[in-house]
Amino acid sequence: MKELNVIKKRSNDPAAQKMLEVTAEEHIQTAWDRLELQQPQCGYGQLGICCRNCGMGPCRINPFGEEPQRGVCGATADTIVARNLARMIAGGAAAHSDHGRDIVEVLHLTALGKAQGYKITDVEKLKRVAKEYGVAVDGRKPEEIAKELAEEVMKEFGMVKGRIQFVERAPEKRKEVWKKLGVLPRGVDREIVEIMHRTHIGVDADYVNILLHGLRASISDGWGGSMIATELSDILFGTPKPIESVMNLGVLKKDMVNVIVHGHNPVLSEMVVKASSDPELVELAKKKGAKGINVVGICCTANELLMRQGIPIAGNFLHQELAIATGAVEAIVVDYQCIMPILPHIAKCYHTKVITTAAKAKIPGALHIEFEPEHAYEVAKKIVKEAVEAYGSRNPDRVRIPDVTMKVMAGFSAEAILQALGGTPKPLIDAIKTGKIRGIAAIVGCNNPKIKQDYNHVTLTKLLIKNNILVVETGCAAIANGKAGLLVPEAADQAGEGLKEVCKSLGIPPVLHMGSCVDISRILVLAAAVAKELNVDISDLPVAGAAPEWMSEKAVSIGAYVVSSGIFTVLGPIPPVLGSMKVATLLTKDLEKVIGAVFAVDPDPEKEARLIINHIEKKRKALGLS
Ligand code: BF8
């Protein structure tokens, strides 16, 4: 069995620590074990200096300055590192944006009356977004507006219009920067495809040119695909408002059928939640001896459901294997992104069914029930029924649910934040001006077994709020801090005096949960609103970003569009760029002159906090604030 001190080094979360004892006892390998087995990891890969982009390779560059210094085609380390990083951005932007496209399709089908069980929930937002797209709203039914809006939004993906509508939401000064630099995105798919073209053998070899295009594609994610996913999800399922719930593995119930929804797109999970209260299925669950059906979430699909419906969250990325090992999960229902292909292998040790639902994301060993919006409710019922049927095979002797939960308050969409402030960002700006709030930090991103689970998120967040920096969060970062008790109004007691006073007067936590990873677009909208009110660029604001435990390509795209939006961003794990000092210098230094922000990298959360505090104070000074 793994020694306790090893387990404690793996996760900061008491529920995870408990489950790591169980997995060790049961000889179940987890991501942490597999990371150990991968050591030493490939040095060329870590530095970003291997290239597999053609059949003359794979090539690698000797990092010690000796031969080979070029690939077979003659590509240098600078070209190879830039190409590899750009391809990571393409992967991330594609994932977010394809998720966005799926939402557009469901909105379109809903408008046509062809999507079973869906409806347009936020008509006010539908009209607001439609107006941005020039779609007439007066005297029209919501369905008519939604149909035309969905068709207009669909054009954003190719290059029918040659520009992305939501980019107009950025402050004028930011758009000028993008225009001057030639990085205004023309279409979401266009920019992603162009990365793949440029990084093909024998196309773009200029590392600056490659990376600038990477930024362009990332902007098409943040201000395009991701923003589309967020805004259209709000129209379909409702714009989040402050809501209370609970987090961590203790949300699994010993005497109920437990269904975990995991992945990203709310079109599946919303319907699973609906089906779980279907009287026919509840009756069946009771017949099987359960008290009912308990739906909880993992990863960003969890955030989507928490934000709009207050559905409890079982955990973040590194909790997915541990949840199955509780022995209390009947089904883990997944769509796409951040789903470990190991899940069916672990589920085999229990009665758990892993159910894949997306045609584009099948996993060997899983049960595949294809999700179609046209028959959404029926399919969701079929999925939940599989879970209910599995309850009879549960072995009660193997059920070990850690008794760990934490209360949270979530639901802070940009609209909800503005509403809490009285309809304008002015009170927030005033608090920043007086120095009660020194600035705002967005902490986002994943878990990564290279870093003690949640430790960097929680340590960094605590240090920032203590220094009167309001923290906004999304994704697995928000779940980390929710589990740690920082997403409740009482957490204001851990904040500095000024932030504490503001939070207490508004009754809000010092750490605001703004949603899933595509919802980082909400943070962009908020930053743009503040910058417009002050008549400055986003890069002038006392604002910073951080991804202290990032691991996915989506996080790379996010980092790129956050920096492109003018926000200084600190990364925990080192990205694979150190094989080229020129690329590393461009990202951490030279970008400042052209785009007004840079990356910094530090795996130590205390140093990350210092970097952010210094940056915020520097920006305050430049704005003439004390
Ligand atoms: O999109 S934070 S591990 S779940 S990639 Fe994945 Fe990272 Fe979690 Fe959501 Ni975002």
Side-chain angles (χ1 to χ4, degrees):
M1 192 182 128
K2 282 273 169 220
E3 309 78 29
L4 216 58
N5 64 334
V6 173
I7 286 172
K8 290 215 155 130
K9 276 188 199 151
R10 289 182 166 187
S11 178
N12 199 45
D13 176 329
Q17 288 175 4
K18 271 218 150 52
M19 289 316 301
L20 284 168
E21 284 177 37
V22 172
T23 52
E25 204 180 295
E26 304 250 359
H27 302 285
I28 294 171
Q29 253 184 19
T30 61
W32 289 274
D33 301 308
R34 293 188 296 274
L35 175 64
E36 245 175 56
L37 291 170
Q38 285 287 338
Q39 301 307 316
Q41 284 179 305
C42 171
Y44 296 104
Q46 283 173 330
L47 296 174
I49 42 176
C50 52
C51 180
R52 298 189 291 103
N53 292 12
C54 85
M56 295 189 288
C59 296
R60 73 261 183 274
I61 303 299
N62 189 330
F64 301 107
E66 288 164 19
E67 293 297 330
Q69 283 296 293
R70 286 179 181 268
V72 178
C73 72
T76 62
D78 305 325
T79 306
I80 293 172
V81 169
R83 287 200 301 219
N84 289 339
L85 188 68
R87 284 195 168 198
M88 289 183 89
I89 294 175
H96 281 148
S97 302
D98 203 36
H99 162 175
R101 184 187 350 244
D102 286 341
I103 305 272
V104 186
E105 282 178 350
V106 173
L107 180 66
H108 194 240
L109 286 170
T110 305
L112 295 174
K114 291 185 182 168
Q116 189 189 32
Y118 299 99
K119 65 176 189 342
I120 294 157
T121 304
D122 192 339
V123 176
E124 195 273 320
K125 185 154 190 174
L126 167 73
K127 290 184 180 169
R128 192 153 37 91
V129 175
K131 279 185 196 160
E132 285 183 66
Y133 275 84
V135 173
V137 300
D138 290 340
R140 300 179 86 191
K141 284 192 193 145
E143 289 70 24
E144 284 174 73
I145 303 170
K147 176 182 172 289
E148 195 179 328
L149 174 64
E151 285 161 3
E152 282 304 308
V153 177
M154 202 55 90
K155 292 179 190 164
E156 307 274 65
F157 287 87
M159 221 193 98
V160 180
K161 284 163 48 180
R163 66 186 185 89
I164 291 176
Q165 183 59 44
F166 284 144
V167 168
E168 293 304 323
R169 292 177 166 188
E172 285 308 317
K173 290 186 178 165
R174 184 67 356 206
K175 283 189 281 181
E176 270 312 305
V177 169
W178 290 339
K179 207 189 248 169
K180 220 168 116 196
L181 211 55
V183 298
L184 265 175
R186 298 155 292 181
V188 179
D189 293 354
R190 163 83 196 244
E191 308 309 353
I192 295 165
V193 168
E194 194 169 310
I195 286 187
M196 299 313 285
H197 180 187
R198 282 177 187 238
T199 56
H200 184 275
I201 159 77
V203 186
D204 202 350
D206 178 334
Y207 75 98
V208 177
N209 209 37
I210 295 167
L211 290 173
L212 281 180
H213 183 73
L215 298 185
R216 191 180 207 178
S218 77
I219 298 168
S220 81
D221 172 0
W223 297 85
S226 280
M227 206 170 274
I228 288 168
T230 296
E231 299 297 68
L232 271 57
S233 294
D234 283 356
I235 291 170
L236 272 172
F237 306 114
T239 304
K241 298 186 192 75
I243 194 162
E244 289 178 359
S245 190
V246 270
M247 282 186 187
N248 220 336
L249 289 169
V251 301
L252 294 167
K253 299 274 182 276
K254 212 173 168 176
D255 47 9
M256 293 179 90
V257 173
N258 290 306
V259 181
I260 293 182
V261 281
H262 172 22
H264 284 79
N265 193 326
V267 299
L268 164 76
S269 49
E270 286 273 345
M271 215 42 81
V272 170
V273 170
K274 238 185 197 178
S276 69
S277 55
D278 188 287
E280 191 192 318
L281 292 171
V282 175
E283 198 45 44
L284 185 65
K286 286 185 179 160
K287 256 193 211 154
K288 298 265 171 200
K291 281 197 176 144
I293 304 165
N294 179 39
V295 180
V296 300
I298 280 186
C299 282
C300 279
T301 226
N303 287 322
E304 298 274 354
L305 290 177
L306 168 75
M307 292 285 284
R308 298 193 181 90
Q309 302 206 42
I311 298 290
I313 291 188
N316 44 4
F317 178 69
L318 283 173
H319 266 41
Q320 56 189 291
E321 297 172 280
L322 307 181
I324 297 178
T326 62
V329 178
E330 275 57 55
I332 179 158
V333 185
V334 304
D335 51 22
Y336 40 57
Q337 299 167 22
C338 307
I339 297 143
M340 292 188 192
I342 195 74
L343 296 187
H345 188 69
I346 299 179
K348 263 199 301 199
C349 308
Y350 299 89
H351 68 301
T352 310
K353 291 180 185 173
V354 178
I355 304 176
T356 53
T357 58
K360 53 190 144 201
K362 294 188 179 178
I363 304 175
L367 169 67
H368 187 74
I369 303 180
E370 195 134 323
F371 189 75
E372 295 152 349
E374 293 88 341
H375 315 286
Y377 191 66
E378 276 160 43
V379 180
K381 268 184 80 176
K382 195 169 163 196
I383 289 169
V384 176
K385 196 169 177 200
E386 287 287 344
V388 175
E389 299 285 0
Y391 186 78
S393 317
R394 188 197 280 187
N395 178 354
D397 297 337
R398 292 188 73 200
V399 172
R400 284 187 273 187
I401 305 171
D403 186 18
V404 182
T405 54
M406 190 60 79
K407 277 192 187 161
V408 296
M409 182 190 267
F412 291 96
S413 56
E415 288 88 339
I417 293 174
L418 291 178
Q419 204 180 346
L421 295 167
T424 140
K426 248 177 154 298
L428 177 62
I429 292 167
D430 289 344
I432 292 173
K433 278 185 179 164
T434 59
K436 279 185 187 162
I437 294 179
R438 308 300 295 173
I440 304 173
I443 304 183
V444 304
C446 322
N447 284 146
N448 181 332
K450 289 179 176 172
I451 287 180
K452 182 175 173 176
Q453 186 192 12
D454 298 351
Y455 178 76
N456 281 21
H457 288 307
V458 175
T459 310
L460 174 61
T461 303
K462 282 186 177 170
L463 286 169
L464 293 180
I465 62 171
K466 207 168 159 193
N467 282 280
N468 294 305
I469 292 168
L470 175 70
V471 175
V472 292
E473 301 207 330
T474 61
C476 290
I479 304 176
N481 281 306
K483 291 187 291 170
L486 292 169
L487 300 188
V488 285
E490 301 80 62
D493 292 329
Q494 297 181 53
E497 282 311 312
L499 176 61
K500 181 170 153 183
E501 189 192 318
V502 175
C503 291
K504 294 261 173 190
S505 71
L506 294 169
I508 56 167
V511 183
L512 302 179
H513 189 335
M514 292 190 74
S516 63
C517 285
V518 292
D519 293 339
I520 292 168
S521 59
R522 300 190 197 277
I523 300 175
L524 297 179
V525 168
L526 187 67
V530 174
K532 282 179 189 170
E533 185 75 30
L534 285 169
N535 197 23
V536 297
D537 193 353
I538 296 174
S539 57
D540 297 320
L541 300 174
V543 165
E549 301 181 22
W550 77 272
M551 65 85 199
S552 74
E553 288 178 327
K554 288 183 291 173
V556 178
S557 177
I558 291 166
Y561 74 65
V562 171
V563 164
S564 300
S565 300
I567 300 173
F568 169 67
T569 298
V570 185
L571 305 175
I574 303 167
V577 299
L578 293 186
S580 162
M581 272 311 118
K582 284 185 184 162
V583 170
T585 308
L586 177 74
L587 297 173
T588 56
K589 210 164 148 240
D590 299 343
L591 269 184
E592 180 77 51
K593 286 178 260 156
V594 286
I595 212 139
V598 288
F599 286 98
V601 182
D602 207 308
D604 176 348
E606 291 181 23
K607 290 190 185 145
E608 287 170 3
R610 189 39 54 206
L611 285 165
I612 289 174
I613 294 164
N614 288 347
H615 171 79
I616 282 177
E617 293 305 324
K618 189 177 87 189
K619 291 290 171 182
R620 288 185 65 86
K621 206 168 162 200
L623 281 173
L625 304 174
S626 65

